[in-house]
Amino acid sequence: MPIHQIDPTTSQAATELIGRLESANAKVLNARASQQFIDGLLKMGLAFAVFLVDVADGTSQLSAEQIQGGLASIERHCDQIESDLPIAA
Amino acid sequence: MNKAELSFFQKAADNFFKFAKETLPAAGTNAAVAAVPMIAMATYSGAMFAIGVMNRDPLAVEAAYHTINNPESSTWLAALAGELPFEAANRAYQYATGAVATGVAVGSLSKVIEKFGSLREEAGHLRKENEMLRREYVGNRAGSDRTQDTLANRLSTGLGNMNTKIEQREQATRTPKPGPGMR
């Protein structure tokens, strides 16, 4: 029971981020890096995923401001992984 | 973790802590905690793991890996019995217990597994924790609004502590940036 309506643009943004986060997670999973590094980043990914699924489905009970802030954090997370992920040669 | 990994991990963790602080209610807002229990639980686990790994405390790391190394035992139940090797982890998990005991909708985790092939295993750990904890609490002491209230209180306190810890870290790592920056 959402306590407020989530506008379609926001749900759409969340849906797009689901695809991006999934790719980022896959990149982490396949990275030749230490186990702690991989596990830590995936645990962050899990919290982001729960958030995104709720927002995409319009079931999130967070405020509009919290949702925008969360989406921005997840975008930064994906940016970092897409451009800077250290992978041992 | 090698140097490059640690430096990347710290950047990712700082971003994650920002998310945690913005998304999770601070202490004293039980209703808000009850509204987002699964995000609270996942975020809390992630933050504790990251803090443990970054502190490079062997006991903290062992605590962080409890679920993975002990597939049949619940980290949360072990913590409630005070069995985790890292005292801070014990306390953190005790606080966080409210997230699962307030009647979490596991539905959102199933959807995560559906949409994120990459997270099947991580989400599985969290779901198992949730199930074990529910059996313990909801099964034995269920129905008591007072129990749930107390647990929600503990979670709320724990989240407040986490926010404080994150703030301390932010202040310790804040470096002056040249120019006006992004904001």
Side-chain angles (χ1 to χ4, degrees), chain A residues 22 25 34 39 57 73 76, chain B residues 5 15 65 111 117-118 122:
Chain A
E22 171 71 344
N25 287 338
S34 72
D39 289 341
D57 285 356
S73 289
R76 270 193 304 276
Chain B
E5 286 173 8
N15 183 48
Y65 272 106
K111 281 188 210 152
S118 57
E122 285 295 337

Side-chain angles (χ1 to χ4, degrees), chain B residues 153-169:
Chain B
N153 271 327
R154 282 154 92 191
L155 174 65
S156 169
T157 312
L159 291 172
N161 289 346
M162 184 180 78
N163 277 335
T164 309
K165 211 178 251 183
I166 290 171
E167 241 154 56
Q168 284 165 351
R169 181 176 159 72

Side-chain angles (χ1 to χ4, degrees), chain B:
Chain B
M1 273 199 250
N2 63 33
K3 230 174 132 193
E5 286 173 8
L6 188 65
S7 137
F8 182 90
F9 192 85
Q10 281 171 342
K11 254 192 340 189
D14 283 341
N15 183 48
F16 183 73
F17 292 155
K18 188 168 154 36
F19 171 84
K21 231 171 77 175
E22 283 175 2
T23 317
L24 296 182
T29 46
N30 289 338
V33 171
V36 292
M38 218 50 176
I39 295 180
M41 187 177 172
T43 306
Y44 209 86
S45 301
M48 289 317 295
F49 188 92
I51 288 169
V53 167
M54 287 190 305
N55 284 342
R56 294 182 164 181
D57 177 331
L59 289 178
V61 172
E62 192 186 330
Y65 272 106
H66 183 92
T67 309
I68 295 168
N69 293 334
N70 302 276
E72 294 315 313
S73 104
S74 159
T75 307
W76 303 66
L77 292 181
L80 289 170
E83 286 168 5
L84 284 180
F86 182 56
E87 185 49 34
N90 275 333
R91 253 176 288 137
Y93 278 113
Q94 285 167 14
Y95 291 137
T97 298
V100 274
T102 43
V104 169
V106 189
S108 56
L109 266 192
S110 305
K111 281 188 210 152
V112 166
I113 294 175
E114 227 170 75
K115 292 184 180 165
F116 288 89
S118 57
L119 293 173
R120 197 158 288 138
E121 211 176 302
E122 285 295 337
H125 289 315
L126 197 58
R127 177 150 67 178
K128 221 170 52 197
E129 286 286 356
N130 188 46
E131 279 164 7
M132 287 191 267
L133 208 64
R134 277 171 70 105
R135 267 206 301 278
E136 176 81 357
Y137 272 93
V138 181
N140 296 344
R141 299 168 214 191
S144 159
D145 285 344
R146 256 179 68 209
T147 304
Q148 301 204 344
D149 258 2
T150 310
L151 290 169
N153 271 327
R154 282 154 92 191
L155 174 65
S156 169
T157 312
L159 291 172
N161 289 346
M162 184 180 78
N163 277 335
T164 309
K165 211 178 251 183
I166 290 171
E167 241 154 56
Q168 284 165 351
R169 181 176 159 72
E170 272 173 4
Q171 294 190 348
T173 58
R174 189 168 293 143
T175 47
K177 286 199 175 83
M182 294 291 284
R183 47 184 90 187

